Amino acid sequence: MGSDDAPAGLTRPRRPWWPALATFLVAQAVLACWWAAFYPGLFSRDSVLYLSHTIAGPWVSDHSVLYDALLWLSFTRTGDLGAVTFAQTTAMAAALTFLAQSLKAVGAPRRLTTAVAMLMPLAPPVGAFTVTLWKDVPFTICAVAIAGVCARFAAARRVSGPGLAGLAALALALGLFRANGFVVVGVAVAVLALVVRTRRVRLLLAGAVAAALPLVLTNAVLPRFGIVPPSPTYVYHTAFGDVAVAFRDRPKLFGERDRALLESVAPLDRWWWGGTCSTVNTLIWREDFSWQQADAHAGELLALWRRLLVEDPGLMVETRLCRGAIAWRPAGDPLLTGGTTYRLSLRPTADTYVGPGRVTDFPGRWVFSLRPLSYELYQVADPWLTGSLAPEYDWALWRGASWAYLSYLAVAAGALAGRNRYVLGVAAVVAGQQLAVLVNISAQDFRYMAAPILIGALLAPLLLGSLWRPARFADAFNRCKQLISGKRTAP
């Protein structure tokens, strides 16, 4: 009988509710300070694009229709965007609290876990990120909550019905907030299915529905309501980036017809200069690259990409590994164009990101301007954030790969120390996100691996707690070795 099991006929004592409330209130208070310091929120070119098409029309699903709708609702009802970022602070505080409480039920040290959860919002990768107008923020919140649900499964050593329903809802939201959410869900559910022993079929079914539904909505349902599907260039831009790398590194693979095709979209010089493996931004986000022509020739460009994949698969794999370095490499590469980590944009107005004609203009674009509610808080938060962007802190604060590896180590140690294989499932969503980013991502943006940073930080106490129980950990480790060697049969 595990330590989490209660003897027959007895009721497990209820844990006091006040630590959870205290954790939430402290996290919310700190995040509210970030919100007041950077009101209505930090933003980038993408943030402006989220709202511009909903006001000027037509609606498009290039990004997240759900998040675009939240910005539109806030803008049209309140005249500003602060309601969205404040809601993000509350949701983040709740998700961090939920994961912390769930990990305590698994065996993480209670006081240390509470302290970590309370202190995390002080760190810019949590605080400043939470008050940024990015769809990646609610995506990350959902991922943190999914890890919490998996920790609840581990505490109970089974998959419960309500827990499965909550997991399905969060997985669906994950896919609605980011286009690659279905890959994250697919990998995470597959990992969970290998770990759990109950309700595997229902788990796989729930995961399949949650992964497929956003794709069905985007491609079949939303167009019926006038919401335009993503452009081919937006969908396949990473493949176009692969072609640019091949053109730069293996020019002999391109014949006259191939060069003519590339030149119909952008000058050959652009394809050459855009052929850096770490980012697609130097290709597709330049004035001499025509999105209209790329859309018109998308089928031909994809056929060229498939041919290159067959002729030189090693180069294509190397390119994806290079561009996905944010997922697996603990440090950036400053020697590569676009090889350093992009963290947060700190410009004060939208016009510093998007000049005339760059995006469809709309009345009220002024809302994308920094207007601190408390200048005193801004004077504290701004240098704190700016200082954290120094290169020497990059690997620890902004690169999710290190935290992903720590997560795997923590759940492995926790599973051995507690003799509970379900603990491994807590890192399932981390594995899902790491693989999704590794396979298909556009640049070295920290936000793509934000969830592993948050989950990894909260798993650190579990790792320390497991290692502080050397006798129990060693016994579990020896038992594991015996099972692998076949000297003992698993019960």
Side-chain angles (χ1 to χ4, degrees), residues 181-227:
F182 73 96
V183 180
V184 180
V185 172
V187 175
V189 169
V191 171
L192 278 174
L194 293 175
V195 171
V196 304
R197 290 174 173 169
T198 60
R199 305 194 180 192
R200 280 183 175 143
V201 174
R202 296 182 186 181
L203 174 64
L204 291 171
L205 181 60
V209 172
L213 190 54
L215 298 175
V216 173
L217 289 173
T218 298
N219 295 289
V221 178
L222 295 180
R224 296 178 178 271
F225 295 90
I227 299 177

Side-chain angles (χ1 to χ4, degrees), residues 315-397:
L315 177 61
M316 296 292 101
V317 172
E318 289 176 9
T319 301
R320 290 298 171 117
L321 288 174
C322 173
R323 195 178 302 128
I326 189 70
W328 64 269
R329 184 172 175 171
D333 188 348
L335 299 180
L336 279 177
T337 301
T340 55
T341 312
Y342 169 74
R343 281 71 68 92
L344 293 163
S345 301
L346 302 178
R347 300 181 186 181
T349 66
D351 289 333
T352 58
Y353 293 103
V354 287
R358 294 296 181 90
V359 298
T360 304
D361 206 354
F362 61 96
R365 199 172 77 178
W366 63 269
V367 295
F368 289 101
S369 60
L370 187 60
R371 293 164 274 129
L373 298 181
S374 168
Y375 189 68
E376 291 76 13
L377 286 174
Y378 173 77
Q379 287 181 307
V380 174
D382 183 60
W384 175 239
L385 171 57
T386 304
S388 74
L389 300 177
E392 56 265 31
Y393 305 127
D394 184 59
W395 69 273
L397 292 178

Side-chain angles (χ1 to χ4, degrees), residues 52-116:
S52 65
H53 70 92
T54 68
I55 303 300
W59 277 58
V60 295
S61 54
D62 283 4
H63 293 280
S64 165
V65 173
L66 175 57
Y67 195 67
D68 295 351
L70 293 175
L71 263 63
W72 173 83
L73 188 64
S74 176
F75 180 75
T76 56
R77 295 295 182 270
T78 70
D80 213 333
L81 302 175
V84 173
T85 44
F86 188 82
Q88 289 175 182
T89 66
T90 303
M92 180 65 82
L96 293 175
T97 302
F98 176 60
L99 177 56
Q101 294 300 113
S102 301
L103 290 173
K104 292 176 194 177
V106 172
R110 303 189 67 80
R111 292 182 180 178
L112 182 58
T113 303
T114 298
V116 170

